[in-house]
Amino acid sequence: MPNVVVIGAQWGDEGKGKVVDLLTQFADVVVRFQGGNNAGHTLVVGGEKTILHLIPAGILHPGKTCVIGNGVVIDPSVMVGEIDKLKAKGAFQDERQLVISLDAHVIMPWHKAIDLAREQALGDGKLGTTGRGIGPTYEDKVARRGIRIRDLVDEARLARRVAERLPSAREELRRLGAASDLDEGAIVRQYAELGRRLARYAADASLVLHQAIRGGRSLLFEGAQGTMLDVDHGTYPFVTSSNTVAGNAATGSGIGPTEIDTVIGISKAYSTRVGGGPYPTELKDDIGEKLRQIGHEFGATTGRPRRTGWFDALALRYAARVNGFDGLAITKLDVLTGFPEIKVAVAYRLRGKVVEEMPCDIEELGRCEPVYETLPGWTEKLDGVRAWGGLPQNARSYVERLAKLVGVKVMGVSVGADRGETILLDNPFKR
Ligand code: IMP
């Protein structure tokens, strides 16, 4: 049975949650492998909105297992909050549906405090992080002083780890001019309690996935954020602190790369970005505002208005390269209805020269001016369209042009927020 990875091809918020939710019906296990509650999926199921930050949307499908891999950083209070919220809605009735890796790292109070204090200290040069403690938690992981789920579920061990780490965390907060009055006893008590709530889900996730694969079950890997936010391959340093690209689906979950059959990239029909960093196709005019309003481009996690712009074919080609996409899903095509013309960046102008590959250096990228191709728009509403042939000719030509520019075939088009508002052209689980 195929194992499929779904990756954001832009700066995050591409509508991965919806595509993953749609594909979940064909998979047995949904896996998160990086990021934390900096992500956020707004799902509309039967007209009702549900926002999840950590638990895969697959939890809404009875019988599906959701695995939080070792590569994820977990805020245990957010995790417990999501579990409670789901249960209150009558979802997630079977405890076996959720597996949390014992090796996943835990976001502690000092991580959040350091994240916020650092951003404040950076002033205008801030990264625009989500303030959830993501970066400092990954730093502690790499510095080999992190606290993992296996520590959280063992109070004595947790107390030791907190005692070891707290003095240097306090010192850093003092240096940053932030409040450093973290109460060791209170933290241990609060987190040990959260550990007790999560203990029943904690397991060797790599082994769980291995057994699922051996049992012929299909895995769906759900990327968080997007390719341009990858710590190695994104617009560094305006990135998140994990690898968001497809290769990390293996490392962040404990399977071998040979188990992955298909990698699907998700892109909006235009583009958005939250936080700082270069963004050549950004529209700071009325058109950008119109995209923001029609597309409801406000962060699911922070509520911040997203920066908006035209589709950038260079960014997409780059994403196709570093992820190895073999399919592309285009989301929010309906948002473009009513725009008389639609632009696509097909090259950049850099120091008087035309370049066709995205420069890796952000200072160079910041100097790039997009070279646009203009395509005709359409006026028909798309939300009722369920088949490729039902799309207006100009909408079809637009999607076909994007696919040609990126060099990857389109496997799906999304025309509205609801699960049903999708045209699936090629099902990666049925190949
Ligand atoms: P962090 O992940 O909170 O450290 O933030 C680093 C950068 O990644 C900031 O520019 C955030 O706005 C961005 N970011 C993090 N998570 C997401 C996401 O899920 N969607 C879009 N941008 C994100």
Side-chain angles (χ1 to χ4, degrees):
M1 296 286 277
N3 298 321
V4 177
V5 181
V6 171
I7 296 289
Q10 300 169 305
W11 285 269
D13 310 313
E14 297 90 350
K16 294 176 294 294
K18 186 192 150 172
V19 176
V20 167
D21 183 48
L22 178 77
L23 292 178
T24 294
Q25 60 188 301
F26 308 106
D28 302 294
V29 186
V30 185
V31 190
R32 268 200 68 178
F33 55 90
Q34 47 74 225
N37 61 316
N38 47 351
H41 299 319
T42 309
L43 296 160
V44 183
V45 184
E48 200 189 335
K49 256 190 189 182
T50 302
I51 299 183
L52 294 175
H53 298 284
L54 266 175
I55 302 180
I59 203 78
L60 297 172
H61 299 245
K64 311 284 177 188
T65 308
C66 292
V67 174
I68 310 290
N70 55 278
V72 176
V73 288
I74 298 173
D75 185 326
S77 56
V78 171
M79 179 67 91
V80 166
E82 288 192 1
I83 292 170
D84 290 346
K85 192 168 75 176
L86 285 162
K87 292 197 172 206
K89 282 189 181 223
F92 183 28
Q93 295 297 319
D94 179 357
E95 302 288 10
R96 290 169 305 178
Q97 265 192 281
L98 182 63
V99 175
I100 303 174
S101 169
L102 282 160
D103 291 326
H105 280 247
V106 178
I107 302 177
M108 298 297 292
W110 55 86
H111 295 131
K112 285 182 270 192
I114 290 171
D115 193 359
L116 293 169
R118 277 198 201 143
E119 283 285 277
Q120 190 142 21
L122 282 169
D124 285 347
K126 70 178 181 185
L127 298 174
T129 73
T130 58
R132 302 295 193 265
I134 306 295
T137 308
Y138 278 116
E139 281 171 43
D140 276 5
K141 169 177 174 169
V142 177
R144 295 168 293 198
R145 60 180 183 205
I147 293 180
R148 296 182 290 173
I149 293 291
R150 59 175 75 253
D151 303 312
L152 191 76
V153 298
D154 176 337
E155 185 164 355
R157 226 159 109 163
L158 175 69
R160 281 203 306 278
R161 296 270 181 270
V162 171
E164 282 159 14
R165 180 65 181 99
L166 209 49
S168 59
R170 283 201 190 103
E171 198 183 302
E172 174 156 15
L173 283 167
R174 255 196 309 275
R175 233 183 8 250
L176 289 163
S180 54
D181 51 350
L182 296 161
D183 179 332
E184 185 176 326
I187 292 173
V188 172
R189 275 192 303 281
Q190 185 196 352
Y191 280 73
E193 177 53 27
L194 291 166
R196 280 189 285 278
R197 287 287 316 273
L198 296 179
R200 67 183 342 152
Y201 310 109
D204 179 345
S206 162
L207 182 61
V208 170
L209 294 177
H210 180 80
Q211 285 164 345
I213 294 169
R214 293 286 86 83
R217 302 173 82 204
S218 270
L219 275 41
L220 173 59
F221 292 88
E222 173 178 350
Q225 292 86 46
T227 303
M228 298 303 156
L229 294 174
D230 183 281
V231 67
D232 283 282
H233 302 290
T235 51
Y236 190 90
F238 295 96
V239 292
T240 191
S241 297
S242 65
N243 284 113
T244 59
V245 296
N248 195 29
T251 318
S253 70
I255 61 143
T258 46
E259 305 290 1
I260 297 168
D261 299 291
T262 302
V263 181
I264 307 290
I266 314 294
S267 171
K268 280 180 188 161
Y270 49 98
S271 65
T272 61
R273 164 163 214 172
V274 196
Y279 178 11
T281 65
E282 181 170 13
L283 292 165
K284 293 182 178 163
D285 56 10
D286 293 351
I287 301 177
E289 187 54 34
K290 193 170 158 191
L291 280 173
R292 185 173 305 113
Q293 293 304 329
I294 300 176
H296 308 291
E297 297 298 354
F298 299 88
T301 297
T302 58
R304 289 180 289 179
R306 296 176 183 147
R307 300 158 71 191
T308 51
W310 295 120
F311 186 93
D312 185 336
L314 290 82
L316 260 289
R317 266 203 300 277
Y318 176 79
R321 163 155 56 97
V322 296
N323 288 293
F325 291 153
D326 42 19
L328 197 60
I330 302 291
T331 61
K332 298 189 109 168
L333 188 63
D334 54 304
V335 172
L336 294 181
T337 286
F339 284 80
E341 49 183 37
I342 302 166
K343 293 187 178 177
V344 178
V346 293
Y348 296 145
R349 194 164 285 111
L350 175 62
R351 294 202 185 87
K353 286 205 177 98
V354 172
V355 293
E356 292 191 347
E357 295 296 335
M358 190 169 179
C360 291
D361 186 286
I362 60 154
E363 289 183 19
E364 295 276 276
L365 190 59
R367 283 185 209 109
C368 286
E369 292 288 331
V371 177
Y372 286 121
E373 183 174 302
T374 304
L375 290 100
W378 58 89
T379 52
E380 296 90 336
K381 280 196 174 307
L382 306 186
D383 45 359
V385 179
R386 294 291 175 273
W388 177 249
L391 288 172
Q393 179 58 50
N394 284 353
R396 284 203 304 261
S397 302
Y398 178 66
V399 172
E400 279 164 355
R401 184 68 186 135
L402 300 188
K404 178 122 200 292
L405 286 165
V406 179
V408 178
K409 71 174 189 301
V410 173
M411 51 78 61
V413 178
S414 158
V415 291
D418 208 274
R419 194 188 276 171
E421 293 172 323
T422 314
I423 302 164
L424 193 57
L425 300 168
D426 172 22
N427 186 338
F429 287 99
K430 298 266 163 84
R431 280 182 178 164

